[in-house]
Amino acid sequence: MFDRILVANRGEIALRILRTAREMGIETVAVYSDFDQRALHVRMAHQAIALGGELPSESYLVGEKILDAAKRSGAQAIHPGYGFLAENAAFAQAVMDAGLAWIGPPPNAIEVMGDKIISRRAMKDAGVPLVPGLTDAVDDVAEAIAAAEEIGYPVAIKAAAGGGGKGIRIVRDPAEMDTAFRTASGEAVSAFGDGRLYIERYLDQPRHIEIQVLFDAHGDAVHLGERECSIQRRHQKLIEECPSVVIDEEMREKMGEVALQAGHAVKYEGAGTVEFLWSGGEFFFLEMNTRLQVEHPVTEMVTGIDLVREQLRVASGEPLGYGQDAIEMRGHSIEVRINAEDTAAGFVPSVGTVKNLRFPGGAGVRIDSCLYRGMEVGLAYDPMLAKVIVHAHDRDTAIRRMRRVLEELNVSGVRISAPAALAVLEESAFQEGDFDTHFLEALDLSKPHGNEEQLAAAVAAIYRRHRAADRALAVSGAARKGWRERSRAMTSAYSQAAGRPSAGGDA
Amino acid sequence: MFDRILVANRGEIALRILRTAREMGIETVAVYSDFDQRALHVRMAHQAIALGGELPSESYLVGEKILDAAKRSGAQAIHPGYGFLAENAAFAQAVMDAGLAWIGPPPNAIEVMGDKIISRRAMKDAGVPLVPGLTDAVDDVAEAIAAAEEIGYPVAIKAAAGGGGKGIRIVRDPAEMDTAFRTASGEAVSAFGDGRLYIERYLDQPRHIEIQVLFDAHGDAVHLGERECSIQRRHQKLIEECPSVVIDEEMREKMGEVALQAGHAVKYEGAGTVEFLWSGGEFFFLEMNTRLQVEHPVTEMVTGIDLVREQLRVASGEPLGYGQDAIEMRGHSIEVRINAEDTAAGFVPSVGTVKNLRFPGGAGVRIDSCLYRGMEVGLAYDPMLAKVIVHAHDRDTAIRRMRRVLEELNVSGVRISAPAALAVLEESAFQEGDFDTHFLEALDLSKPHGNEEQLAAAVAAIYRRHRAADRALAVSGAARKGWRERSRAMTSAYSQAAGRPSAGGDA
Amino acid sequence: MKYFVKVNGHDHEVVLTERLGELLVEVDGEPMDIVYEEVDSLGQVLAITGEGAAFGVSIEGDSQRAGITIAGHFYDIEIEDERERAAHAAARAAGAGGGSVKSVMPGVVVSLLVAEGDEVEEGQPLLVLEAMKMQNEIVAPVAGAVVRIHASEGEAVSAGAKLVDLKAAEEA
Amino acid sequence: MKYFVKVNGHDHEVVLTERLGELLVEVDGEPMDIVYEEVDSLGQVLAITGEGAAFGVSIEGDSQRAGITIAGHFYDIEIEDERERAAHAAARAAGAGGGSVKSVMPGVVVSLLVAEGDEVEEGQPLLVLEAMKMQNEIVAPVAGAVVRIHASEGEAVSAGAKLVDLKAAEEA
């Protein structure tokens, strides 16, 4: 096993990886942009190396800086987390060329699975079921219309290099094709620098169901069951759960087998996820995510397996050491993503400084968070601040537990997505398991879901009255304030007399 | 099942009970002393009823006030938590006489088990193994010396009405008997109003191991395995775990059988704990705690059973519905108690106002806490502020996880017991499972356990320098402070124009 | 003092009256029995109403606009006292007849789809705004004429920034 | 400025020198390379030393006495600058020759076991203090004479309160 690893990421996922590494007795190296100097992942690591720069493009996305930090820190391996360089095959190769271990799948697997068109072709060859559609890119609107006629409406236009919902348009009628094709292509160029689009059938009442897989470097593999991720908006997931109400043991085995087939086809290693669209008992390959996913904790809660631990074991060459029989699924787990966004105003991003912070507690509650009091939430980084995960013996109790947990949670300073998640959990259709990927978009979140308007009005008025009273007292009160209360935190970077460069300076 | 219950307690245990009740769809009623008006259990309950008074003796210990609150709130049952009235048979009877359900064992079981001498006699009759000693109280020093000769030194003198380590003295030699008898008797009178003492053999390298039991009202019962509670000081536990390294499956079954025997002998109902002293493969009945215990979460983590849920089910008349076969123990769990005390100075209580608060997160971590920023910690109430519980697939990983968790935890404003727990977890003897009930007292906690003295010195100096700079700027800075920043929180209780008594006023 | 409090867009009136050192609270014409206790200086409040219904309340904001969270649900608050309401009403009356399309989120203007002087239909895209890597079309809320464009392509705008001034068709 | 910092009872010297806007840090005669970043106003600090060793540090206290927590371990800090050290040394010199037994915790004096004027042995119980419902005997730290008793039976005392003044035998 490694003695020291570098985590090339930030936020909750950096902390999540650091935690498992610490628990395995592995030393941890964090990297950080200037924006993240106060971040928890920096404070919780054994070592921290400044990358310099405010933006991701100046820091976490610069492979050379990461490799340099790894060299300086003496790390033997790099864990990319998700996002940033996690699915960058060239970087994975550069890590290996530098003599370091890459905690992720082989570059070739990343490359194949990272291209929607190439991956669909590979999956077709491997016998994995695909959504009816074309495996080749369509070059223009006319070609797209011809393809759609063949497949049958409605169809979906998707970016070949896409992900995260960018560059996707649904077309229900040939008349809509022109606008859809142009905007999808524009978005694809701007987001991925690659405007190629492909077309496939659009499924009715589809559910997004994915299978977690684990491959070692010796050809052995297991699947860890499914995750239900249908509560999403513009392909951004909000609530995930394990298991899914529509998947029984037989279906799970079938989908698991197919997922392993998909991985074997690209000689996969490590942890990965095979995403399927599920509709009326049929399932179709969507894509394979060649990394740890945001929603991996629900699988961990139900199987009892620490996926980061398994990633580290596989990357250091250890065999899995267990077979499919060892995987048992117990109880039910739900995850809610706590994003900085105003869900009542169409999920627009919310920025600010985190003031109050109160996390829920109690049995069956897991908090994966990078939040701290005083944290600045800006636009340059992902708006996901925390994940709240619950586990209980059945789905009904897990839902009740998550509702209780979201009622306890309090984050002030930015608007968060928790009220939207609570609104979903309060819907009887959700409670009965009757939903698809359109559920969240169809829910009217601008309508208030709380029933305490009069109380809120009274509290607001009394609070304002108290503040006005404070203001009147402020001048006389100021003199009494102690020297430890300050209006803002102070920052300094000191270097020693001898003039060696400060460790916190630019790398 | 009940529609509404009242929790006659405060602190983390009140929250813990409220949480399960909420998750079961049961409305919750909190009660609070004036000291606790801002407490989390008040803010998290559906209803809150003021008891009036600052001290426990004016609030949580006043049975009539609790019963009145139950009546006013329409609660159908009362959960006493632990401490306060939890083991008060007369109160349990009064609750039942008022037509309410008592979420605890029958008054007679409380009464028998609450008296050490009567309970030992009952257990002897039921065939439960006892520590060699007398079942009758000794009246004076001469009688005590005679008894000790018969039993064999060393002996322990214990208060008949005792608990929590009060009124206990170890005597290794007849010459020590005089002082020991007098101080133990004095302490027993002052603590319990009952100076009766009894004498038993003092065991070498003893471990405190207890069995969790659950009885329904229909004569069915299961045990949920053991808890190892040997890391204690003056009989105040600091670290508990489940399972114990010295208990194998066979021993567990044997102890479990005996524990069920003990419960059956007093017609027990609900959740209870049978405490044993374990020494060299033998085990002896110590006492039965007729309530939920502080350390119950480690059993919950390992068995997956929510003990409060089971208490509520049993109290509402439901049968357990499962047998001993259904109880499976998985993995390993450890709990650390976070008390407000200065462990470096002999565990003296620490008082203050909680300023910074940062809880650990991640997989396998459970936080049962009543802490909030701004909370005042005083001397009138129990110093236990929180419990941190971890679960992992084996003991070694659980220890590493707990170390990681205690390294992440930060509470400022009061001194806490976490550094002492960390020191224990860092000891190789503890890691190897080689300890007894004297381990903690033998550990030198006045000696610093951290290795960053020079860093601490540098940070202290720089911090002080910054504060001095702030102070110089304070006068000009004060004018810029907004109206929302205040030096202290404000309190008001408003009643309406019509003159009805405020709900927050004295009951 | 009377306060006009808009909660999630719904109007409520709160009257606070101090009498003999006690604050009497009236909401929408009915007296409200309330214990109000501030826990800390970060907006944590305990409120107990009527016969003991307890609420942990979190409040943040300034004297005009606040957000309140009660049991996980968010309440958007706009608050005016009597004097402010009169002043605001006067200001609104003076400024009537024009309308600005504002950015509801911080982002970057990717492309402008109209020019000053253009006539636009209700729902017609005015510009494309990219925020959090998603492109969003900003449409005209009413039919009318583009009076002024405040943003240029590639410009970063903050939430609430004016993007386009429209003159509604019925005003033209 | 030079600071004398006692950390868990061990003496350290820290010299902070400002040069060209940078603060140079020297601990026990050796330069220390340190990035010091305050996260908030509640004493949360990030410190990175030498080649990148990172520490989340929590500090609280006043200008003389502080507590620092690093990775779960607590460091008790007493800090004096040069001027304070000189002043304290002078005060100590003036007050030498007497000794007070102080309460290390808040509690209630249950019983007094000695009277003023009594000769006591080292380790002899002076009084019984009850705190958190536990009785604790407070013993004489040295042999000597009881000069004065500050507490009476049943009295509540705070941490740090003087209980008994002793005159050490070797001073008698």
Side-chain angles (χ1 to χ4, degrees):
Chain A
M1 185 45 67
F2 312 115
D3 299 316
R4 187 179 297 160
I5 66 165
L6 182 145
V7 179
N9 215 304
R10 67 188 294 277
E12 68 85 21
I13 192 62
L15 269 170
R16 192 261 164 273
I17 297 162
L18 294 174
R19 282 171 171 151
T20 284
R22 283 192 96 107
E23 290 172 9
M24 292 173 73
I26 299 169
E27 281 192 27
T28 53
V29 182
V31 292
Y32 61 99
S33 69
D34 289 350
F35 182 82
D36 281 336
Q37 184 157 21
R38 299 168 179 182
L40 276 184
H41 78 277
V42 179
R43 287 185 268 160
M44 297 294 181
H46 291 97
Q47 279 187 62
I49 309 275
L51 298 174
E54 286 283 333
L55 297 175
S57 57
E58 300 161 350
S59 52
Y60 302 102
L61 283 169
V62 185
E64 306 84 66
K65 287 192 178 183
I66 305 282
L67 286 172
D68 182 56
K71 226 167 285 171
R72 283 169 58 201
S73 65
Q76 299 150 333
I78 292 181
H79 195 307
Y82 52 69
F84 297 133
L85 299 170
E87 288 171 288
N88 183 319
F91 179 66
Q93 189 59 53
V95 168
M96 289 158 66
D97 291 347
L100 303 171
W102 167 249
I103 303 168
N108 181 61
I110 299 177
E111 207 160 345
V112 171
M113 288 302 189
D115 185 297
K116 286 230 168 50
I117 290 173
I118 296 175
S119 68
R120 282 165 61 89
R121 204 175 288 147
M123 290 303 104
K124 199 174 183 181
D125 293 347
V128 172
L130 300 176
V131 176
L134 297 188
T135 46
D136 290 311
V138 288
D139 289 334
D140 55 35
V141 175
E143 213 175 284
I145 291 177
E149 297 292 341
E150 194 181 309
I151 295 162
Y153 286 97
V155 297
I157 310 183
K158 300 189 173 185
K166 287 143 208 161
I168 295 188
R169 290 293 183 282
I170 312 304
V171 181
R172 297 185 174 274
D173 189 271
E176 298 170 14
M177 188 65 84
D178 188 57
T179 311
F181 193 91
R182 277 193 297 103
T183 57
S185 171
E187 213 167 284
V189 169
S190 128
F192 315 110
D194 177 351
R196 285 176 307 143
L197 300 175
Y198 70 102
I199 293 191
E200 63 184 22
R201 206 183 62 230
Y202 181 71
L203 299 173
D204 266 326
Q205 293 194 289
R207 297 175 86 117
H208 175 122
I209 291 175
E210 58 189 32
I211 302 283
Q212 175 71 49
V213 294
L214 262 180
F215 288 74
D216 68 16
H218 311 281
D220 284 326
V222 295
H223 73 84
L224 303 180
E226 79 281 8
R227 289 188 288 262
E228 159 75 74
C229 310
S230 301
I231 303 300
Q232 48 179 251
R233 187 187 164 279
R234 293 185 167 202
H235 297 258
Q236 298 288 346
K237 299 161 189 165
L238 177 64
I239 300 180
E240 298 104 341
E241 49 184 319
C242 173
S244 164
V245 289
V246 296
I247 305 299
D248 59 15
E249 190 48 55
E250 196 187 333
M251 177 63 82
R252 178 172 303 125
E253 232 167 85
K254 220 157 107 188
M255 294 178 81
E257 269 311 307
V258 170
L260 291 177
Q261 222 169 301
H264 280 302
V266 294
K267 297 197 175 22
Y268 203 82
E269 288 174 30
T273 298
V274 183
E275 296 189 336
F276 295 103
L277 263 192
W278 188 97
S279 179
E282 287 183 293
F283 61 94
F284 308 99
F285 175 83
L286 261 183
E287 61 177 358
M288 181 168 188
N289 292 311
T290 55
R291 53 168 161 83
L292 195 66
Q293 274 188 296
V294 173
E295 60 268 30
H296 75 277
V298 293
T299 298
E300 295 185 323
M301 302 292 269
V302 168
T303 62
I305 289 174
D306 180 333
L307 284 167
V308 171
R309 185 189 175 91
E310 297 309 295
Q311 286 188 301
L312 293 170
R313 287 182 56 234
V314 167
S316 73
E318 288 184 29
L320 280 183
Y322 49 83
Q324 193 64 46
D325 292 353
I327 311 301
E328 283 186 89
M329 295 180 70
R330 297 179 186 287
H332 198 95
S333 180
I334 301 177
E335 171 180 287
V336 163
R337 301 189 189 196
I338 308 299
N339 301 324
E341 53 196 17
D342 183 347
T343 55
F347 290 79
V348 299
S350 174
V351 299
T353 301
V354 174
K355 287 185 301 186
N356 192 60
L357 197 54
R358 183 180 66 220
F359 283 120
V365 178
R366 168 176 171 182
I367 311 287
D368 277 27
S369 161
C370 63
L371 281 163
Y372 60 93
R373 260 184 43 79
M375 177 180 180
E376 279 171 45
V377 179
L379 278 177
Y381 291 95
D382 195 270
M384 202 186 71
L385 307 178
K387 304 181 309 205
V388 178
I389 305 111
V390 299
H391 183 254
H393 63 280
D394 61 20
R395 183 170 188 267
D396 187 46
T397 309
I399 291 173
R400 289 166 181 274
R401 179 160 289 170
M402 183 59 93
R403 289 172 65 180
R404 186 271 288 172
V405 155
L406 294 179
E407 286 168 0
E408 286 184 22
L409 175 72
N410 183 250
V411 179
S412 72
V414 289
R415 294 286 296 268
I416 57 171
S417 53
L422 194 52
V424 171
L425 295 166
E426 288 173 354
E427 288 288 321
S428 60
F430 178 82
Q431 291 165 11
E432 286 151 19
D434 176 22
F435 56 86
D436 61 24
T437 55
H438 309 302
F439 186 87
L440 182 58
E441 286 181 36
L443 196 64
D444 183 3
L445 291 165
S446 65
K447 202 186 73 194
H449 278 73
N451 298 312
E452 300 297 340
E453 280 194 10
Q454 290 197 323
L455 173 66
V459 166
I462 300 172
Y463 185 77
R464 178 176 148 142
R465 187 186 171 95
H466 277 192
R467 293 302 79 68
D470 291 343
R471 201 162 22 170
L473 295 168
V475 177
S476 61
R480 274 183 270 119
K481 291 180 82 67
W483 59 277
R484 278 158 43 229
E485 274 200 77
R486 299 165 316 124
S487 52
R488 58 183 191 85
M490 287 170 71
T491 304
S492 329
Y494 306 136
S495 60
Q496 66 173 59
R500 268 198 292 149
S502 156
D506 229 46
Chain B
M1 185 45 66
F2 311 114
D3 299 315
R4 186 179 298 159
I5 66 164
L6 182 145
V7 179
N9 215 304
R10 68 187 294 277
E12 68 85 21
I13 192 62
L15 269 170
R16 191 259 164 275
I17 296 162
L18 295 175
R19 282 170 171 152
T20 285
R22 283 191 95 106
E23 290 172 9
M24 293 174 73
I26 299 169
E27 283 193 25
T28 52
V29 182
V31 292
Y32 61 100
S33 70
D34 289 349
F35 182 82
D36 281 336
Q37 182 156 24
R38 298 168 179 183
L40 277 184
H41 77 279
V42 179
R43 286 185 269 159
M44 298 295 181
H46 291 95
Q47 280 189 60
I49 308 275
L51 297 173
E54 287 283 333
L55 298 175
S57 57
E58 299 161 350
S59 52
Y60 303 102
L61 283 168
V62 185
E64 306 84 67
K65 287 192 178 182
I66 306 281
L67 286 172
D68 182 55
K71 226 166 286 170
R72 283 170 56 200
S73 64
Q76 297 150 334
I78 293 181
H79 194 309
Y82 53 68
F84 296 135
L85 298 170
E87 289 171 287
N88 183 319
F91 179 67
Q93 189 60 55
V95 168
M96 290 159 66
D97 290 346
L100 303 172
W102 168 249
I103 304 167
N108 181 62
I110 300 177
E111 205 161 345
V112 170
M113 288 302 189
D115 185 297
K116 285 228 169 51
I117 290 173
I118 296 174
S119 69
R120 283 165 61 90
R121 204 175 286 146
M123 291 303 102
K124 198 174 183 182
D125 293 348
V128 172
L130 301 175
V131 176
L134 297 189
T135 46
D136 290 311
V138 288
D139 289 335
D140 55 35
V141 176
E143 212 176 283
I145 291 177
E149 296 294 340
E150 193 182 309
I151 296 162
Y153 285 97
V155 296
I157 310 183
K158 301 189 171 183
K166 288 143 206 161
I168 294 187
R169 291 292 183 283
I170 311 303
V171 181
R172 298 186 174 275
D173 188 294
E176 297 170 15
M177 188 65 84
D178 189 55
T179 312
F181 193 91
R182 276 192 299 103
T183 57
S185 171
E187 213 166 284
V189 168
S190 126
F192 316 109
D194 177 352
R196 285 176 306 143
L197 300 175
Y198 70 102
I199 293 190
E200 63 183 23
R201 207 182 63 231
Y202 181 72
L203 299 173
D204 266 327
Q205 293 194 289
R207 297 175 85 116
H208 176 122
I209 291 175
E210 58 189 31
I211 303 283
Q212 176 71 50
V213 293
L214 264 180
F215 288 73
D216 67 16
H218 311 281
D220 284 328
V222 294
H223 73 83
L224 303 180
E226 79 280 10
R227 290 187 288 261
E228 160 75 75
C229 309
S230 300
I231 303 299
Q232 49 178 249
R233 187 187 163 280
R234 291 186 168 202
H235 297 258
Q236 298 288 346
K237 299 159 188 167
L238 177 65
I239 301 180
E240 298 104 341
E241 49 183 318
C242 173
S244 164
V245 289
V246 297
I247 306 299
D248 60 14
E249 192 48 56
E250 195 187 333
M251 177 63 82
R252 180 172 303 125
E253 231 167 85
K254 221 156 108 187
M255 293 178 83
E257 269 309 307
V258 169
L260 291 177
Q261 223 168 300
H264 280 303
V266 295
K267 298 197 172 24
Y268 203 82
E269 289 174 28
T273 298
V274 182
E275 296 190 336
F276 294 103
L277 262 191
W278 188 97
S279 179
E282 286 182 293
F283 62 94
F284 308 99
F285 174 83
L286 261 183
E287 61 178 0
M288 181 168 188
N289 292 312
T290 55
R291 52 167 162 85
L292 195 65
Q293 275 187 297
V294 173
E295 59 269 28
H296 76 276
V298 293
T299 298
E300 295 184 324
M301 302 293 269
V302 169
T303 61
I305 290 175
D306 180 333
L307 285 167
V308 171
R309 184 188 175 90
E310 297 309 295
Q311 286 188 302
L312 293 171
R313 288 182 57 233
V314 167
S316 72
E318 288 184 27
L320 280 183
Y322 49 84
Q324 193 63 47
D325 293 353
I327 311 301
E328 283 186 90
M329 296 180 71
R330 297 180 187 285
H332 199 94
S333 180
I334 301 178
E335 170 180 287
V336 163
R337 300 189 188 196
I338 308 299
N339 300 324
E341 53 195 16
D342 183 347
T343 55
F347 290 79
V348 299
S350 174
V351 298
T353 302
V354 174
K355 287 185 301 187
N356 192 60
L357 196 54
R358 183 180 67 220
F359 284 119
V365 178
R366 169 175 170 181
I367 311 286
D368 277 28
S369 161
C370 63
L371 280 163
Y372 59 92
R373 260 183 43 78
M375 178 181 181
E376 280 172 45
V377 179
L379 278 176
Y381 290 93
D382 194 272
M384 202 186 72
L385 306 178
K387 304 181 308 205
V388 178
I389 305 112
V390 299
H391 183 255
H393 63 279
D394 61 19
R395 183 170 188 267
D396 188 46
T397 308
I399 291 173
R400 289 166 183 273
R401 179 159 289 171
M402 183 58 94
R403 289 173 64 180
R404 187 272 288 173
V405 156
L406 294 179
E407 286 167 1
E408 286 185 21
L409 175 71
N410 183 251
V411 178
S412 73
V414 289
R415 294 287 296 269
I416 57 171
S417 53
L422 194 52
V424 170
L425 295 166
E426 288 172 355
E427 288 288 322
S428 61
F430 178 82
Q431 291 165 10
E432 287 151 19
D434 177 22
F435 56 88
D436 61 24
T437 55
H438 309 302
F439 185 86
L440 181 57
E441 286 182 36
L443 196 63
D444 184 3
L445 292 165
S446 65
K447 203 185 73 195
H449 278 73
N451 298 315
E452 300 297 341
E453 279 194 12
Q454 289 196 324
L455 174 65
V459 167
I462 300 171
Y463 185 76
R464 180 177 146 139
R465 187 186 171 95
H466 277 193
R467 293 303 79 68
D470 290 343
R471 200 161 24 171
L473 295 168
V475 178
S476 61
R480 274 183 271 119
K481 291 181 83 66
W483 60 278
R484 278 158 44 230
E485 275 200 77
R486 299 163 317 124
S487 52
R488 59 183 191 84
M490 287 170 70
T491 305
S492 329
Y494 306 135
S495 60
Q496 67 175 57
R500 268 197 293 148
S502 156
D506 228 48
Chain C
M1 176 72 85
K2 185 186 270 190
Y3 297 90
F4 300 92
V5 190
K6 213 185 265 286
V7 184
N8 288 335
H10 303 145
D11 290 313
H12 297 276
E13 281 184 23
V14 180
V15 179
L16 303 182
T17 317
E18 203 166 326
R19 188 185 301 166
L20 303 173
E22 280 207 338
L23 199 66
L24 308 182
V25 181
E26 209 183 276
V27 180
D28 298 332
E30 292 289 325
M32 179 184 273
D33 194 2
I34 182 169
V35 173
Y36 172 100
E37 166 97 9
E38 293 193 3
V39 173
D40 60 19
S41 57
L42 299 169
Q44 296 294 299
V45 172
L46 163 72
I48 302 178
T49 61
E51 289 303 305
F55 302 91
V57 178
S58 170
I59 180 166
E60 55 178 323
D62 57 32
S63 57
Q64 307 268 319
R65 180 123 198 174
I68 285 186
T69 303
I70 303 175
H73 286 297
F74 187 84
Y75 299 84
D76 187 56
I77 306 281
E78 289 173 70
I79 186 166
E80 294 172 325
D81 64 21
E82 288 160 299
R83 280 167 305 189
E84 288 163 351
R85 162 152 288 205
H88 292 165
R92 273 191 293 269
S100 291
V101 177
K102 292 178 180 170
S103 175
V104 292
M105 64 191 125
V108 170
V109 175
V110 176
S111 56
L112 286 170
L113 306 176
V114 293
E116 290 182 5
D118 283 5
E119 296 289 325
V120 293
E121 295 301 306
E122 181 182 331
Q124 181 178 333
L126 301 173
L127 51 85
V128 177
L129 188 71
E130 181 168 317
M132 305 310 289
K133 295 175 192 147
M134 299 286 287
Q135 298 198 356
N136 308 274
E137 281 183 347
I138 306 298
V139 301
V142 292
V146 175
V147 177
R148 194 164 159 210
I149 295 175
H150 295 275
S152 54
E153 290 188 2
E155 184 181 340
V157 295
S158 54
K162 277 190 194 178
L163 298 173
V164 175
D165 287 348
L166 290 179
K167 192 178 181 123
E170 56 267 46
E171 301 164 17
Chain D
M1 177 69 86
K2 185 187 271 190
Y3 298 89
F4 300 91
V5 189
K6 213 186 264 287
V7 183
N8 288 335
H10 303 146
D11 290 314
H12 297 277
E13 281 185 23
V14 180
V15 179
L16 302 182
T17 317
E18 204 168 324
R19 188 184 300 167
L20 303 173
E22 279 208 340
L23 199 66
L24 307 182
V25 180
E26 208 182 276
V27 180
D28 299 333
E30 293 288 327
M32 180 184 273
D33 194 3
I34 181 170
V35 173
Y36 173 99
E37 167 97 9
E38 294 193 2
V39 174
D40 61 19
S41 57
L42 298 169
Q44 297 293 301
V45 172
L46 163 73
I48 301 179
T49 61
E51 289 303 306
F55 301 92
V57 178
S58 170
I59 180 166
E60 55 178 323
D62 57 33
S63 57
Q64 307 269 318
R65 181 123 198 175
I68 285 186
T69 303
I70 304 174
H73 285 297
F74 187 84
Y75 299 84
D76 187 54
I77 306 281
E78 288 173 71
I79 187 165
E80 294 171 327
D81 64 21
E82 288 162 298
R83 282 167 304 187
E84 287 163 349
R85 163 152 289 206
H88 293 165
R92 273 191 294 271
S100 291
V101 176
K102 291 177 182 171
S103 176
V104 292
M105 64 190 125
V108 171
V109 175
V110 175
S111 56
L112 287 169
L113 305 175
V114 292
E116 290 181 4
D118 283 5
E119 297 290 324
V120 293
E121 294 302 306
E122 182 182 332
Q124 181 178 333
L126 302 173
L127 51 84
V128 178
L129 188 71
E130 182 168 316
M132 304 310 288
K133 296 178 191 143
M134 298 286 287
Q135 296 198 357
N136 308 275
E137 281 184 346
I138 308 299
V139 301
V142 292
V146 174
V147 177
R148 193 162 160 214
I149 295 176
H150 296 275
S152 54
E153 290 187 2
E155 185 181 338
V157 296
S158 55
K162 278 190 193 177
L163 298 173
V164 175
D165 288 349
L166 289 179
K167 191 175 183 123
E170 55 266 44
E171 302 166 15

